[in-house]
Amino acid sequence: MLTGSYSPALVVISLFVAILASYTALDLTGRIATAKGRAVYLWMAGGALAMGVGVWSMHFIGMLAFRLPIALGYDIGITALSLLIAVLSCGFALWLVSQPRLPMWQLGFGALVMGAGISSMHYTGMAALRMTPGIDYDPTLFGASLLIAVGASAAALWIAFNLRRNTPYVRLARSGAAVIMGVAIVGMHYTGMAAARFADGSFCGAIVNGLSGSGLDILVLITTLAVLVIALLTSLLDARLEARTAVLADSLSQANEELIHLALHDTLTGLPNRTLLSDRIQQATQWATEQDGCFALMFIDLDGFKPVNDAFGHHMGDQLLREVGLRLREDLRSQDTLARIGGDEFVLLVQLHSPDDAVRLAARQVGLINQVFRVAEQELNISASIGIALFPGNGVTPQELLMNADAAMYHAKSMGKNGYSFFDVSMNTNARKQLQLLQDLRNALEHRQLKLYYQPKFDAGSGQPVGAEALLRWEHPQHGLLMPDKFIELAEKTGLIIPIGEWVLDEACRQMQVWYAQGYKSWRIAVNLSALQFCHAGLVKSVADALERHQLPPNSLTLEITETTAMSNADASMTVLQKLSDMGVDLSIDDFGTGYSSLMYLKRLPANELKIDRGFVRDLEHDSDDAAIVSAIVALGQALGLRIVAEGVETDVQQNFLTRLGCDSLQGYLLGHPLPAEDFMLEICRERSLSSTK
Ligand code: C2E
Ligand code: CA
Ligand code: CA
């Protein structure tokens, strides 16, 4: 029998190759586990190739390490077949461990297939020697080599399956596992080799035209290393790319979530906004229809929020709204939705057992808001008006339900605020009327339906007319003559007040020019400005243009702004007022005494006139408080060097009292009603002739 020997260097190299191949295989299973779509198959094919080449070359280098006293060669065809077997069994192994689960029976079956694959690769490789006589195998060692192959395969599959996810220390674990797997593969090979017995006088048939000669080992080694290193590098780079993609995808999904939150919530209070609310109403409708349940939609509007906002500034207003949100949330259940859908408008969506629940909840919420708020050291008192629409009954779509709750809220407001109302069909027509009115108002300017009426102002002492206040009227084709309280708020809400206000200014100046030309050169025409006009950038220019167009001296024009308007955003008002005052226009603080005046600001305002609110004048005779307030206002105005005007003078007693107190001018129904320009002049002339005959 021929005795073989081993080249120790090649044996060590074969072990090294086996370990490297095992590591590569484990790394690739990690790639396959996290890859998606077609990449899975690419990784599997590439992995099978790399690993197959690795295992096979371990075996081939192991063969090269084996020396017999005779020359050896390897049949190319059979060697190639052994390589193919190695690649296929590795491919099978990779496929198996990339399955979502690996139960015991599957592991056992896989180990059998893979062990058989490796063994057949080995013995096919041996057959490539084409020995005559054939190699004789020792049955025990042969059997042992098969067992080792199957056992090593089972271990390898189990390890690969469990290490395929990226867990902490996965690299270290894979390295350890690779050593064990490598040793097992090498063990199988050398046990198989030990089983082989070569008879004396054996002849290697592949020596003639097979692979042989020195340098073959180096060639196989280099090729193998190249394949394994490329596979490993690709895997590493891909893993890094994947990690980076994962980070990006993570931050993207986070940004996405934030965007969705922003799109569905109000930034000030963090409560759901109108969009999310509609969605919830939709869901509630569906739920109530299917489960035969009911829910209420409560439209909550704050009373008295605007004055607070105007007087204390937006910052306080914002804080107050946040507090209101918190308080309203207080006794809600998690399935209820509280949304903020506009300035001081909140909407509550609540599931109900019975409509009575809605009564209790609404009463509680009204009570909650009515308790004093403490914001930035200030005590603020507001209240809420709530309109309630019920489902089923008060509408089908979210829009309809909301519109009806809104209409009910308006009803609650008109009933004196600080309370709640349930929706009723009659309210709907109200909302519809408002909408129609708005459409008509849009056309009013163009169709020349707006008119100015003039109410005279008289010098308190002499009784002589000193000018007039221009008051807006709308000659509505269906509803007749409409007073400002019917449409000014609507015009302000929709911004229509800007073009309307410009028209008023122009028309009043035109009329004043007519009177000016008739000789009433000392008269002043007073025009009311709304808060929105006052904030509008073009105001100063509009005023200058109107004066210029009608060739009026600036002090023929008095602009009346309410106290609240002047005090809100006091610094900005100051700039505008200063510009108007520099121009020479006369400024009057209207409705004085109703707002939250601060003396500090009042002193700095470049105003010329204070107009005592007609509310104080009305109750002068009966209410001693009002009399005291009026005398205080007069004293204050005089101290600040302002003209004092009293409006709403209806009786002789009022006239005398106000004159005695020292008011400069008077205005009111007693002295003259607002009238169209033509009648105004007739009336003045009549008064004149009356007083001259007195
Ligand atoms: P205001 O500026 O306080 O105007 C005075 C209001 O009191 C006028 O009502 C006038 O008719 C009424 N009035 C006059 N004398 C008496 C009286 O003796 N007793 C009573 N009870 N009332 C009297 P009007 O014309 O209905 O105007 C209401 C409000 O509409 C005005 O209040 C003003 O704030 C606003 N307004 C009127 N015209 C315009 C306008 O052209 N532009 C703007 N922005 N607002 C206007
Ligand atoms: Ca006025
Ligand atoms: Ca007034």
Side-chain angles (χ1 to χ4, degrees):
M1 204 176 76
L2 296 176
T3 23
S5 66
Y6 286 98
S7 144
L10 281 180
V11 169
V12 171
I13 290 176
S14 74
L15 177 64
F16 170 72
V17 169
I19 293 174
L20 191 63
S22 301
Y23 187 84
T24 310
L26 288 175
D27 200 72
L28 291 179
T29 50
R31 289 307 51 238
I32 294 171
T34 50
K36 289 183 186 75
R38 275 185 36 196
V40 174
Y41 298 101
L42 283 175
W43 277 117
M44 230 178 258
L49 192 70
M51 194 180 156
V53 167
V55 172
W56 173 83
S57 66
M58 172 271 134
H59 147 85
F60 197 71
I61 293 171
M63 300 257 290
L64 290 175
F66 182 66
R67 306 256 162 77
L68 276 182
I70 56 168
L72 293 178
Y74 303 91
D75 183 282
I76 300 182
I78 302 179
T79 303
L81 180 64
S82 73
L83 176 61
L84 184 67
I85 293 174
V87 171
L88 288 180
S89 5
C90 288
F92 168 77
L94 283 179
W95 171 80
L96 195 67
V97 295
S98 63
Q99 297 309 302
R101 287 173 352 99
L102 187 60
M104 273 321 266
W105 69 267
Q106 214 165 320
L107 180 73
F109 176 71
L112 273 181
V113 173
M114 201 181 153
I118 290 178
S119 312
S120 50
M121 170 205 70
H122 177 83
Y123 291 103
T124 311
M126 296 291 279
L129 287 169
R130 301 227 329 253
M131 298 301 287
T132 14
I135 306 171
D136 182 28
Y137 289 104
D138 173 277
T140 322
L141 284 173
F142 177 77
S145 82
L146 291 189
L147 275 181
I148 293 178
V150 173
S153 297
L157 287 175
W158 187 82
I159 292 171
F161 182 77
N162 286 294
L163 285 183
R164 64 199 179 138
R165 297 279 166 207
N166 284 325
T167 46
Y169 305 114
V170 72
R171 293 209 174 279
L172 200 67
R174 277 184 194 158
S175 307
V179 172
I180 298 174
M181 280 165 69
V183 170
I185 294 171
V186 168
M188 178 266 149
H189 174 84
Y190 288 103
T191 315
M193 291 299 281
R197 280 189 298 230
F198 299 88
D200 283 326
S202 285
F203 167 73
C204 174
I207 193 70
V208 188
N209 41 21
L211 295 164
S212 67
S214 62
L216 195 58
D217 43 3
I218 303 285
L219 186 70
V220 169
L221 182 64
I222 289 179
T223 317
T224 306
L225 286 182
V227 169
L228 290 178
V229 166
I230 289 172
L232 261 181
L233 274 183
T234 317
S235 164
L236 258 164
L237 284 180
D238 186 70
R240 197 162 299 170
L241 199 70
E242 191 188 83
R244 208 170 306 157
T245 316
V247 170
L248 276 179
D250 222 47
S251 54
L252 198 67
S253 79
Q254 205 176 328
N256 235 337
E257 258 165 43
E258 265 163 41
L259 268 182
I260 290 173
H261 186 88
L262 274 181
L264 295 180
H265 290 81
D266 159 49
T267 35
L268 180 68
T269 57
L271 294 173
N273 62 12
R274 192 183 279 272
T275 317
L276 186 53
L277 176 70
S278 293
D279 205 50
R280 298 264 169 93
I281 299 176
Q282 193 90 52
Q283 286 171 15
T285 317
Q286 206 174 352
W287 164 84
T289 316
E290 283 166 7
Q291 312 282 320
D292 220 6
C294 63
F295 67 86
L297 203 63
M298 302 192 177
F299 202 110
I300 306 171
D301 190 282
L302 303 181
D303 315 314
F305 174 74
K306 203 174 157 328
V308 170
N309 206 35
D310 289 347
F312 296 102
H314 292 289
H315 185 66
M316 280 279 265
D318 285 356
Q319 228 166 312
L320 178 59
L321 286 175
R322 262 185 236 123
E323 295 287 328
V324 168
L326 285 177
R327 221 179 255 188
L328 288 174
R329 262 244 69 108
E330 240 170 47
D331 61 9
L332 296 184
R333 298 155 303 174
S334 58
Q335 71 265 35
D336 300 334
T337 299
L338 175 68
R340 176 168 170 250
I341 62 167
D344 57 351
E345 295 167 339
F346 295 81
V347 173
L348 186 55
L349 170 71
V350 277
Q351 287 181 11
L352 302 174
H353 294 299
S354 78
D356 283 350
D357 292 352
V359 176
R360 269 191 295 275
L361 183 61
R364 220 164 41 220
Q365 300 283 31
V366 167
L368 276 177
I369 298 304
N370 209 11
Q371 285 163 23
V372 89
F373 282 90
R374 288 201 142 273
V375 177
E377 314 277 296
Q378 295 278 353
E379 287 196 353
L380 301 173
N381 279 301
I382 53 168
S383 58
S385 299
I386 302 185
I388 308 166
L390 296 174
F391 183 93
N394 297 161
V396 180
T397 64
Q399 287 71 26
E400 210 178 334
L401 283 162
L402 262 175
M403 225 175 72
N404 290 343
D406 187 27
M409 184 277 291
Y410 269 105
H411 184 76
K413 274 218 196 281
S414 70
M415 295 308 285
K417 306 180 176 175
N418 194 18
Y420 59 89
S421 290
F422 279 85
F423 173 74
D424 176 273
V425 192
S426 64
M427 298 171 186
N428 210 339
T429 47
N430 254 347
R432 223 156 269 160
K433 269 188 203 152
Q434 279 282 308
L435 210 66
Q436 185 59 48
L437 200 67
L438 176 61
Q439 262 156 17
D440 295 346
L441 187 58
R442 288 190 206 282
N443 298 324
L445 258 183
E446 204 181 314
H447 296 162
R448 299 171 166 273
Q449 291 164 357
L450 297 182
K451 271 253 150 48
L452 286 185
Y453 274 41
Y454 299 91
Q455 186 178 31
K457 290 182 180 178
F458 296 91
D459 182 85
S462 68
Q464 288 299 308
V466 292
E469 177 176 5
L471 294 162
L472 187 57
R473 301 289 181 265
W474 178 11
E475 289 176 336
H476 191 282
Q478 281 92 43
H479 307 311
L481 192 68
L482 293 184
M483 294 296 178
D485 60 329
K486 292 276 186 298
F487 62 91
I488 287 280
E489 205 186 312
L490 199 61
E492 282 178 343
K493 252 199 210 164
T494 52
L496 275 176
I497 193 69
I498 300 291
I500 291 178
E502 296 232 332
W503 176 85
V504 171
L505 196 60
D506 185 72
E507 175 60 15
C509 287
R510 189 196 60 75
Q511 182 57 56
M512 183 59 213
Q513 172 54 39
V514 173
W515 291 331
Y516 194 83
Q518 288 173 1
Y520 301 100
K521 293 197 163 42
S522 64
W523 280 12
R524 285 199 180 94
I525 186 81
V527 170
N528 292 286
L529 289 187
S530 82
L532 198 71
Q533 278 175 285
F534 196 60
C535 300
H536 194 65
L539 176 67
V540 177
K541 184 163 186 306
S542 296
V543 172
D545 287 352
L547 290 172
E548 159 95 39
R549 204 173 311 125
H550 301 290
Q551 310 222 310
L552 277 181
N555 73 345
S556 310
L557 177 67
T558 300
L559 294 178
E560 293 192 2
I561 54 168
T562 66
E563 187 187 5
T564 327
T565 304
M567 296 301 164
S568 70
N569 198 354
D571 291 332
S573 319
M574 197 70 77
T575 327
V576 174
L577 287 176
Q578 197 60 55
K579 279 193 189 143
L580 292 169
S581 164
D582 290 347
M583 209 190 287
V585 173
D586 205 75
L587 297 173
S588 173
I589 311 290
D590 205 350
D591 299 348
F592 191 78
T594 53
Y596 291 80
S597 271
S598 140
L599 257 186
M600 279 269 290
Y601 277 125
L602 191 61
K603 226 177 84 183
R604 282 169 54 205
L605 281 178
N608 311 77
E609 183 180 284
L610 280 190
K611 236 178 147 176
I612 302 172
D613 187 64
R614 61 178 180 277
F616 297 115
V617 174
R618 183 184 56 219
D619 298 332
L620 260 186
E621 292 162 44
H622 320 288
D623 192 328
S624 57
D625 278 354
D626 280 355
I629 290 172
V630 172
S631 34
I633 294 176
V634 173
L636 174 73
Q638 283 171 344
L640 293 172
L642 299 173
R643 273 196 326 263
I644 315 291
V645 183
E647 64 178 349
V649 182
E650 294 182 352
T651 67
D652 291 327
V653 179
Q654 289 166 348
Q655 181 184 17
N656 292 332
F657 186 88
L658 293 162
T659 309
R660 246 187 303 119
L661 274 183
C663 286
D664 298 281
S665 355
L666 304 176
Q667 179 184 352
Y669 292 164
L670 175 74
L671 309 163
H673 284 262
L675 289 171
E678 317 80 77
D679 306 336
F680 174 87
M681 237 21 212
L682 288 176
E683 181 78 19
I684 290 279
C685 295
R686 199 174 56 88
E687 289 244 338
R688 277 253 168 111
S689 58
L690 275 182
S691 60
S692 60
T693 53
K694 255 189 202 164

Short mmCIF file of all heavy atoms in Angstrom, two decimals, residues 398-427:
data_model
loop_
_atom_site.label_atom_id
_atom_site.label_comp_id
_atom_site.label_asym_id
_atom_site.label_seq_id
_atom_site.Cartn_x
_atom_site.Cartn_y
_atom_site.Cartn_z
N PRO A 398 -70.41 65.92 7.58
CA PRO A 398 -69.69 66.73 8.57
C PRO A 398 -69.95 68.23 8.37
O PRO A 398 -70.16 68.96 9.34
CB PRO A 398 -68.23 66.39 8.30
CG PRO A 398 -68.26 65.03 7.73
CD PRO A 398 -69.52 64.93 6.94
N GLN A 399 -69.98 68.67 7.10
CA GLN A 399 -70.19 70.09 6.81
C GLN A 399 -71.55 70.55 7.33
O GLN A 399 -71.67 71.58 7.96
CB GLN A 399 -70.12 70.37 5.30
CG GLN A 399 -68.74 70.29 4.70
CD GLN A 399 -68.24 68.86 4.63
OE1 GLN A 399 -69.02 67.92 4.57
NE2 GLN A 399 -66.93 68.68 4.68
N GLU A 400 -72.54 69.72 7.05
CA GLU A 400 -73.90 70.08 7.45
C GLU A 400 -74.01 70.15 8.97
O GLU A 400 -74.57 71.10 9.53
CB GLU A 400 -74.83 69.00 6.91
CG GLU A 400 -76.22 69.48 6.59
CD GLU A 400 -77.03 68.34 6.01
OE1 GLU A 400 -76.43 67.39 5.42
OE2 GLU A 400 -78.24 68.36 6.16
N LEU A 401 -73.43 69.15 9.64
CA LEU A 401 -73.49 69.11 11.10
C LEU A 401 -72.79 70.33 11.69
O LEU A 401 -73.28 70.96 12.62
CB LEU A 401 -72.83 67.83 11.61
CG LEU A 401 -73.67 66.57 11.45
CD1 LEU A 401 -72.79 65.33 11.54
CD2 LEU A 401 -74.75 66.53 12.52
N LEU A 402 -71.61 70.65 11.11
CA LEU A 402 -70.85 71.79 11.62
C LEU A 402 -71.61 73.10 11.40
O LEU A 402 -71.66 73.96 12.27
CB LEU A 402 -69.51 71.88 10.88
CG LEU A 402 -68.31 71.29 11.60
CD1 LEU A 402 -67.09 71.34 10.69
CD2 LEU A 402 -68.04 72.03 12.90
N MET A 403 -72.20 73.22 10.21
CA MET A 403 -72.93 74.45 9.88
C MET A 403 -74.11 74.62 10.84
O MET A 403 -74.37 75.72 11.32
CB MET A 403 -73.44 74.37 8.45
CG MET A 403 -73.21 75.63 7.67
SD MET A 403 -73.70 75.39 5.96
CE MET A 403 -75.46 75.34 6.12
N ASN A 404 -74.77 73.51 11.15
CA ASN A 404 -75.92 73.60 12.03
C ASN A 404 -75.50 73.89 13.47
O ASN A 404 -76.18 74.65 14.17
CB ASN A 404 -76.74 72.31 11.95
CG ASN A 404 -77.43 72.21 10.59
OD1 ASN A 404 -77.55 73.20 9.89
ND2 ASN A 404 -77.86 71.02 10.22
N ALA A 405 -74.38 73.29 13.90
CA ALA A 405 -73.89 73.59 15.25
C ALA A 405 -73.51 75.07 15.33
O ALA A 405 -73.75 75.74 16.33
CB ALA A 405 -72.69 72.71 15.58
N ASP A 406 -72.92 75.57 14.25
CA ASP A 406 -72.53 76.98 14.17
C ASP A 406 -73.78 77.87 14.27
O ASP A 406 -73.80 78.85 15.02
CB ASP A 406 -71.81 77.20 12.83
CG ASP A 406 -71.21 78.60 12.74
OD1 ASP A 406 -70.90 79.17 13.79
OD2 ASP A 406 -71.07 79.10 11.61
N ALA A 407 -74.82 77.50 13.53
CA ALA A 407 -76.06 78.28 13.57
C ALA A 407 -76.64 78.29 14.98
O ALA A 407 -77.08 79.33 15.49
CB ALA A 407 -77.07 77.71 12.59
N ALA A 408 -76.56 77.12 15.65
CA ALA A 408 -77.08 77.04 17.03
C ALA A 408 -76.24 77.91 17.96
O ALA A 408 -76.77 78.53 18.89
CB ALA A 408 -77.06 75.59 17.51
N MET A 409 -74.92 77.96 17.68
CA MET A 409 -74.04 78.79 18.50
C MET A 409 -74.44 80.27 18.36
O MET A 409 -74.50 81.01 19.35
CB MET A 409 -72.59 78.57 18.06
CG MET A 409 -71.55 79.28 18.87
SD MET A 409 -71.33 80.97 18.38
CE MET A 409 -70.58 80.73 16.77
N TYR A 410 -74.72 80.69 17.12
CA TYR A 410 -75.14 82.08 16.91
C TYR A 410 -76.42 82.38 17.67
O TYR A 410 -76.60 83.45 18.24
CB TYR A 410 -75.33 82.39 15.41
CG TYR A 410 -74.05 82.91 14.82
CD1 TYR A 410 -73.26 82.12 14.00
CD2 TYR A 410 -73.61 84.21 15.13
CE1 TYR A 410 -72.06 82.59 13.50
CE2 TYR A 410 -72.42 84.69 14.63
CZ TYR A 410 -71.65 83.87 13.82
OH TYR A 410 -70.47 84.35 13.35
N HIS A 411 -77.29 81.37 17.70
CA HIS A 411 -78.52 81.54 18.44
C HIS A 411 -78.22 81.75 19.92
O HIS A 411 -78.76 82.64 20.56
CB HIS A 411 -79.41 80.32 18.24
CG HIS A 411 -80.74 80.45 18.89
ND1 HIS A 411 -81.74 81.23 18.37
CD2 HIS A 411 -81.22 79.94 20.06
CE1 HIS A 411 -82.79 81.18 19.17
NE2 HIS A 411 -82.49 80.40 20.20
N ALA A 412 -77.29 80.92 20.45
CA ALA A 412 -76.91 81.04 21.87
C ALA A 412 -76.36 82.45 22.13
O ALA A 412 -76.64 83.06 23.15
CB ALA A 412 -75.86 79.99 22.23
N LYS A 413 -75.57 82.96 21.18
CA LYS A 413 -75.02 84.31 21.34
C LYS A 413 -76.14 85.34 21.38
O LYS A 413 -76.13 86.24 22.22
CB LYS A 413 -74.07 84.63 20.18
CG LYS A 413 -72.65 84.15 20.41
CD LYS A 413 -71.64 85.14 19.86
CE LYS A 413 -70.26 84.50 19.75
NZ LYS A 413 -69.54 84.43 21.01
N SER A 414 -77.09 85.17 20.46
CA SER A 414 -78.15 86.17 20.39
C SER A 414 -79.07 86.08 21.61
O SER A 414 -79.78 87.02 21.94
CB SER A 414 -78.96 85.99 19.10
OG SER A 414 -79.71 84.80 19.20
N MET A 415 -79.04 84.94 22.30
CA MET A 415 -79.86 84.80 23.51
C MET A 415 -79.13 85.35 24.73
O MET A 415 -79.52 85.07 25.87
CB MET A 415 -80.20 83.32 23.75
CG MET A 415 -81.07 82.69 22.69
SD MET A 415 -82.56 83.60 22.35
CE MET A 415 -83.50 83.17 23.81
N GLY A 416 -78.03 86.05 24.50
CA GLY A 416 -77.37 86.69 25.63
C GLY A 416 -76.03 86.08 26.01
O GLY A 416 -75.50 86.37 27.07
N LYS A 417 -75.49 85.23 25.18
CA LYS A 417 -74.16 84.63 25.38
C LYS A 417 -74.08 83.83 26.68
O LYS A 417 -75.07 83.70 27.39
CB LYS A 417 -73.07 85.71 25.37
CG LYS A 417 -73.12 86.57 24.12
CD LYS A 417 -72.05 87.64 24.13
CE LYS A 417 -72.10 88.38 22.80
NZ LYS A 417 -71.18 89.51 22.77
N ASN A 418 -72.88 83.30 26.96
CA ASN A 418 -72.63 82.53 28.18
C ASN A 418 -73.69 81.44 28.38
O ASN A 418 -74.25 81.30 29.46
CB ASN A 418 -72.60 83.48 29.39
CG ASN A 418 -71.99 82.78 30.61
OD1 ASN A 418 -71.32 81.77 30.47
ND2 ASN A 418 -72.25 83.33 31.78
N GLY A 419 -73.97 80.68 27.33
CA GLY A 419 -74.96 79.62 27.43
C GLY A 419 -74.89 78.71 26.22
O GLY A 419 -73.97 78.82 25.41
N TYR A 420 -75.85 77.79 26.13
CA TYR A 420 -75.84 76.87 25.00
C TYR A 420 -77.23 76.76 24.38
O TYR A 420 -78.23 77.06 25.03
CB TYR A 420 -75.37 75.48 25.45
CG TYR A 420 -76.21 74.88 26.53
CD1 TYR A 420 -77.33 74.11 26.21
CD2 TYR A 420 -75.91 75.10 27.87
CE1 TYR A 420 -78.13 73.58 27.20
CE2 TYR A 420 -76.71 74.56 28.87
CZ TYR A 420 -77.82 73.81 28.53
OH TYR A 420 -78.61 73.28 29.50
N SER A 421 -77.27 76.38 23.09
CA SER A 421 -78.54 76.16 22.40
C SER A 421 -78.44 74.90 21.57
O SER A 421 -77.38 74.62 21.01
CB SER A 421 -78.83 77.27 21.39
OG SER A 421 -79.11 78.45 21.98
N PHE A 422 -79.56 74.17 21.49
CA PHE A 422 -79.61 73.04 20.58
C PHE A 422 -80.08 73.53 19.22
O PHE A 422 -80.86 74.48 19.13
CB PHE A 422 -80.56 71.97 21.11
CG PHE A 422 -79.93 71.12 22.16
CD1 PHE A 422 -79.91 71.52 23.48
CD2 PHE A 422 -79.32 69.93 21.80
CE1 PHE A 422 -79.31 70.73 24.45
CE2 PHE A 422 -78.71 69.13 22.76
CZ PHE A 422 -78.70 69.53 24.08
N PHE A 423 -79.60 72.88 18.18
CA PHE A 423 -79.97 73.30 16.84
C PHE A 423 -81.46 73.08 16.59
O PHE A 423 -82.06 72.13 17.09
CB PHE A 423 -79.16 72.52 15.80
CG PHE A 423 -79.61 72.77 14.40
CD1 PHE A 423 -79.31 73.97 13.77
CD2 PHE A 423 -80.37 71.82 13.72
CE1 PHE A 423 -79.74 74.22 12.48
CE2 PHE A 423 -80.81 72.07 12.43
CZ PHE A 423 -80.49 73.26 11.82
N ASP A 424 -82.02 73.99 15.81
CA ASP A 424 -83.42 73.89 15.44
C ASP A 424 -83.51 74.34 13.99
O ASP A 424 -82.75 75.20 13.57
CB ASP A 424 -84.20 74.83 16.36
CG ASP A 424 -85.65 74.86 16.00
OD1 ASP A 424 -86.02 75.67 15.13
OD2 ASP A 424 -86.39 74.09 16.59
N VAL A 425 -84.42 73.73 13.23
CA VAL A 425 -84.46 73.98 11.79
C VAL A 425 -84.56 75.47 11.46
O VAL A 425 -84.00 75.94 10.47
CB VAL A 425 -85.63 73.23 11.13
CG1 VAL A 425 -85.50 73.24 9.62
CG2 VAL A 425 -85.70 71.81 11.65
N SER A 426 -85.25 76.24 12.32
CA SER A 426 -85.43 77.65 12.01
C SER A 426 -84.09 78.39 11.97
O SER A 426 -83.96 79.40 11.28
CB SER A 426 -86.34 78.29 13.05
OG SER A 426 -85.69 78.24 14.31
N MET A 427 -83.08 77.86 12.69
CA MET A 427 -81.79 78.55 12.74
C MET A 427 -81.06 78.46 11.42
O MET A 427 -80.27 79.32 11.05
CB MET A 427 -80.91 77.93 13.82
CG MET A 427 -81.50 78.06 15.20
SD MET A 427 -80.55 77.09 16.34
CE MET A 427 -81.54 77.25 17.80
#
